Amino acid sequence: DSGVTQTPKHLITATGQRVTLRCSPRSGDLSVYWYQQSLDQGLQFLIQYYNGEERAKGNILERFSAQQFPDLHSELNLSSLELGDSALYFCASSGGTSGRARQYFGPGTRLTVT
Amino acid sequence: DAKTTQPTSMDCAEGRAANLPCNHSTISGNEYVYWYRQIHSQGPQYIIHGLKNNETNEMASLIITEDRKSSTLILPHATLRDTAVYYCIVVNNNDMRFGAGTRLTVKP
């Protein structure tokens, strides 16, 4: 158990809809990272937040957004969903600001867009 | 971040050492080598990391060549539960970029 929790575990929705994925980092970790893993793309870094502020951006689409709240939990919002957004979404946390810090991954949310 | 090259897949016999190579010929002086693994569709799990010196922990050993252009992850006594995709990642201060990794299959 990494100490990182993600909800929901599974999500099925239709194209055009909007969903919110939630992540609670390990106790004391200030950084939260979001990753997308689809069958044909592998594990793709989306975005990082550190103590409420956006710290680094990866391959995140404009239809996606994220935020980190004062209690350090984070939410990833996916809107205008397309079939290609079906994937596993992982959240990770670390104690540091840089990608060099060891990251602890949650169990993931499996999103299916129909 | 420097790019890494890993074999697509490898097999290993149960109880034997698994040696997973990684090339990172464009690594720069302040970049670390990290190894993670992902078992089936679970979240990736940290294994080990290093800068210059060889490292060992309870899970594995990491051997980094003197010129730092390649490294090898060693699982000393592979078990069936070590079957996973192993990712070698070179990291500086930026985010981690996962490649395709090596799919290790441990066979009885």
PDB file of all heavy atoms in Angstrom, chain A residues 48 55-56 97-100, chain B residues 1 30-31 91-95:
ATOM      1  N   GLN A  48       1.860  18.340 -12.705  1.00  0.00           N
ATOM      2  CA  GLN A  48       2.300  18.252 -11.314  1.00  0.00           C
ATOM      3  C   GLN A  48       1.870  19.494 -10.556  1.00  0.00           C
ATOM      4  O   GLN A  48       1.957  20.612 -11.069  1.00  0.00           O
ATOM      5  CB  GLN A  48       3.827  18.136 -11.223  1.00  0.00           C
ATOM      6  CG  GLN A  48       4.346  18.100  -9.787  1.00  0.00           C
ATOM      7  CD  GLN A  48       5.809  18.504  -9.656  1.00  0.00           C
ATOM      8  OE1 GLN A  48       6.496  18.714 -10.656  1.00  0.00           O
ATOM      9  NE2 GLN A  48       6.298  18.583  -8.431  1.00  0.00           N
ATOM     10  N   ARG A  55       3.286  23.106 -10.944  1.00  0.00           N
ATOM     11  CA  ARG A  55       4.749  23.064 -10.922  1.00  0.00           C
ATOM     12  C   ARG A  55       5.337  22.633 -12.264  1.00  0.00           C
ATOM     13  O   ARG A  55       6.359  23.137 -12.673  1.00  0.00           O
ATOM     14  CB  ARG A  55       5.195  22.083  -9.840  1.00  0.00           C
ATOM     15  CG  ARG A  55       6.683  21.863  -9.715  1.00  0.00           C
ATOM     16  CD  ARG A  55       7.356  23.032  -9.050  1.00  0.00           C
ATOM     17  NE  ARG A  55       8.761  22.757  -8.791  1.00  0.00           N
ATOM     18  CZ  ARG A  55       9.711  22.816  -9.702  1.00  0.00           C
ATOM     19  NH1 ARG A  55       9.396  23.090 -10.952  1.00  0.00           N
ATOM     20  NH2 ARG A  55      10.960  22.559  -9.385  1.00  0.00           N
ATOM     21  N   ALA A  56       4.703  21.706 -12.942  1.00  0.00           N
ATOM     22  CA  ALA A  56       5.200  21.237 -14.233  1.00  0.00           C
ATOM     23  C   ALA A  56       4.025  20.716 -15.040  1.00  0.00           C
ATOM     24  O   ALA A  56       3.041  20.226 -14.501  1.00  0.00           O
ATOM     25  CB  ALA A  56       6.241  20.138 -14.061  1.00  0.00           C
ATOM     26  N   THR A  97       9.740  18.840  -4.542  1.00  0.00           N
ATOM     27  CA  THR A  97       9.188  19.590  -5.662  1.00  0.00           C
ATOM     28  C   THR A  97       9.613  19.019  -7.003  1.00  0.00           C
ATOM     29  O   THR A  97       8.934  19.187  -7.993  1.00  0.00           O
ATOM     30  CB  THR A  97       9.656  21.056  -5.633  1.00  0.00           C
ATOM     31  OG1 THR A  97      11.104  21.055  -5.670  1.00  0.00           O
ATOM     32  CG2 THR A  97       9.210  21.751  -4.379  1.00  0.00           C
ATOM     33  N   SER A  98      10.772  18.354  -7.033  1.00  0.00           N
ATOM     34  CA  SER A  98      11.310  17.951  -8.324  1.00  0.00           C
ATOM     35  C   SER A  98      10.931  16.524  -8.657  1.00  0.00           C
ATOM     36  O   SER A  98      10.609  15.728  -7.791  1.00  0.00           O
ATOM     37  CB  SER A  98      12.834  18.069  -8.321  1.00  0.00           C
ATOM     38  OG  SER A  98      13.404  16.993  -7.613  1.00  0.00           O
ATOM     39  N   GLY A  99      10.985  16.219  -9.948  1.00  0.00           N
ATOM     40  CA  GLY A  99      10.714  14.868 -10.400  1.00  0.00           C
ATOM     41  C   GLY A  99      11.735  13.886  -9.896  1.00  0.00           C
ATOM     42  O   GLY A  99      11.570  12.685 -10.030  1.00  0.00           O
ATOM     43  N   ARG A 100      12.818  14.421  -9.285  1.00  0.00           N
ATOM     44  CA  ARG A 100      13.838  13.532  -8.768  1.00  0.00           C
ATOM     45  C   ARG A 100      13.410  12.855  -7.490  1.00  0.00           C
ATOM     46  O   ARG A 100      13.972  11.884  -7.073  1.00  0.00           O
ATOM     47  CB  ARG A 100      15.123  14.321  -8.496  1.00  0.00           C
ATOM     48  CG  ARG A 100      16.276  13.770  -9.243  1.00  0.00           C
ATOM     49  CD  ARG A 100      17.491  14.594  -9.201  1.00  0.00           C
ATOM     50  NE  ARG A 100      17.742  15.373  -8.047  1.00  0.00           N
ATOM     51  CZ  ARG A 100      18.685  16.313  -8.059  1.00  0.00           C
ATOM     52  NH1 ARG A 100      19.369  16.546  -9.151  1.00  0.00           N
ATOM     53  NH2 ARG A 100      18.916  17.026  -7.006  1.00  0.00           N
TER      54      ARG A 100
ATOM     55  N   ASP B   1      14.927  15.861 -20.355  1.00  0.00           N
ATOM     56  CA  ASP B   1      15.473  14.656 -19.729  1.00  0.00           C
ATOM     57  C   ASP B   1      16.074  13.760 -20.786  1.00  0.00           C
ATOM     58  O   ASP B   1      15.606  13.706 -21.921  1.00  0.00           O
ATOM     59  CB  ASP B   1      14.374  13.879 -19.000  1.00  0.00           C
ATOM     60  CG  ASP B   1      13.887  14.618 -17.768  1.00  0.00           C
ATOM     61  OD1 ASP B   1      14.620  15.485 -17.282  1.00  0.00           O
ATOM     62  OD2 ASP B   1      12.788  14.318 -17.303  1.00  0.00           O
ATOM     63  N   ASN B  30      23.986  15.881 -13.809  1.00  0.00           N
ATOM     64  CA  ASN B  30      23.106  16.030 -12.650  1.00  0.00           C
ATOM     65  C   ASN B  30      21.851  15.175 -12.753  1.00  0.00           C
ATOM     66  O   ASN B  30      20.904  15.367 -11.991  1.00  0.00           O
ATOM     67  CB  ASN B  30      22.725  17.494 -12.472  1.00  0.00           C
ATOM     68  CG  ASN B  30      21.943  18.026 -13.661  1.00  0.00           C
ATOM     69  OD1 ASN B  30      21.931  17.401 -14.727  1.00  0.00           O
ATOM     70  ND2 ASN B  30      21.286  19.146 -13.493  1.00  0.00           N
ATOM     71  N   GLU B  31      21.832  14.271 -13.700  1.00  0.00           N
ATOM     72  CA  GLU B  31      20.648  13.427 -13.890  1.00  0.00           C
ATOM     73  C   GLU B  31      20.810  12.081 -13.189  1.00  0.00           C
ATOM     74  O   GLU B  31      21.841  11.433 -13.291  1.00  0.00           O
ATOM     75  CB  GLU B  31      20.369  13.220 -15.378  1.00  0.00           C
ATOM     76  CG  GLU B  31      19.882  14.499 -16.047  1.00  0.00           C
ATOM     77  CD  GLU B  31      19.583  14.312 -17.524  1.00  0.00           C
ATOM     78  OE1 GLU B  31      20.322  13.584 -18.194  1.00  0.00           O
ATOM     79  OE2 GLU B  31      18.583  14.898 -17.991  1.00  0.00           O
ATOM     80  N   VAL B  91      16.257  11.254 -14.740  1.00  0.00           N
ATOM     81  CA  VAL B  91      15.538  12.390 -14.168  1.00  0.00           C
ATOM     82  C   VAL B  91      16.503  13.468 -13.700  1.00  0.00           C
ATOM     83  O   VAL B  91      17.504  13.169 -13.047  1.00  0.00           O
ATOM     84  CB  VAL B  91      14.692  11.933 -12.952  1.00  0.00           C
ATOM     85  CG1 VAL B  91      13.869  13.086 -12.405  1.00  0.00           C
ATOM     86  CG2 VAL B  91      13.784  10.764 -13.317  1.00  0.00           C
ATOM     87  N   ASN B  92      16.203  14.728 -14.037  1.00  0.00           N
ATOM     88  CA  ASN B  92      16.909  15.821 -13.368  1.00  0.00           C
ATOM     89  C   ASN B  92      15.900  16.523 -12.472  1.00  0.00           C
ATOM     90  O   ASN B  92      15.273  15.887 -11.645  1.00  0.00           O
ATOM     91  CB  ASN B  92      17.586  16.756 -14.362  1.00  0.00           C
ATOM     92  CG  ASN B  92      16.624  17.277 -15.409  1.00  0.00           C
ATOM     93  OD1 ASN B  92      15.429  17.355 -15.179  1.00  0.00           O
ATOM     94  ND2 ASN B  92      17.144  17.622 -16.568  1.00  0.00           N
ATOM     95  N   ASN B  93      15.740  17.803 -12.603  1.00  0.00           N
ATOM     96  CA  ASN B  93      14.770  18.477 -11.747  1.00  0.00           C
ATOM     97  C   ASN B  93      13.367  18.469 -12.313  1.00  0.00           C
ATOM     98  O   ASN B  93      12.449  18.980 -11.704  1.00  0.00           O
ATOM     99  CB  ASN B  93      15.202  19.924 -11.496  1.00  0.00           C
ATOM    100  CG  ASN B  93      16.343  19.989 -10.514  1.00  0.00           C
ATOM    101  OD1 ASN B  93      16.368  19.241  -9.553  1.00  0.00           O
ATOM    102  ND2 ASN B  93      17.294  20.858 -10.773  1.00  0.00           N
ATOM    103  N   ASN B  94      13.239  17.926 -13.500  1.00  0.00           N
ATOM    104  CA  ASN B  94      11.936  17.991 -14.155  1.00  0.00           C
ATOM    105  C   ASN B  94      11.118  16.730 -13.877  1.00  0.00           C
ATOM    106  O   ASN B  94      11.505  15.865 -13.136  1.00  0.00           O
ATOM    107  CB  ASN B  94      12.128  18.186 -15.661  1.00  0.00           C
ATOM    108  CG  ASN B  94      12.865  19.466 -15.951  1.00  0.00           C
ATOM    109  OD1 ASN B  94      12.638  20.468 -15.309  1.00  0.00           O
ATOM    110  ND2 ASN B  94      13.771  19.414 -16.896  1.00  0.00           N
ATOM    111  N   ASP B  95       9.995  16.658 -14.530  1.00  0.00           N
ATOM    112  CA  ASP B  95       9.110  15.532 -14.331  1.00  0.00           C
ATOM    113  C   ASP B  95       9.718  14.257 -14.900  1.00  0.00           C
ATOM    114  O   ASP B  95      10.598  14.293 -15.739  1.00  0.00           O
ATOM    115  CB  ASP B  95       7.792  15.809 -15.038  1.00  0.00           C
ATOM    116  CG  ASP B  95       8.000  16.263 -16.471  1.00  0.00           C
ATOM    117  OD1 ASP B  95       8.133  17.481 -16.673  1.00  0.00           O
ATOM    118  OD2 ASP B  95       8.082  15.407 -17.375  1.00  0.00           O
TER     119      ASP B  95
END
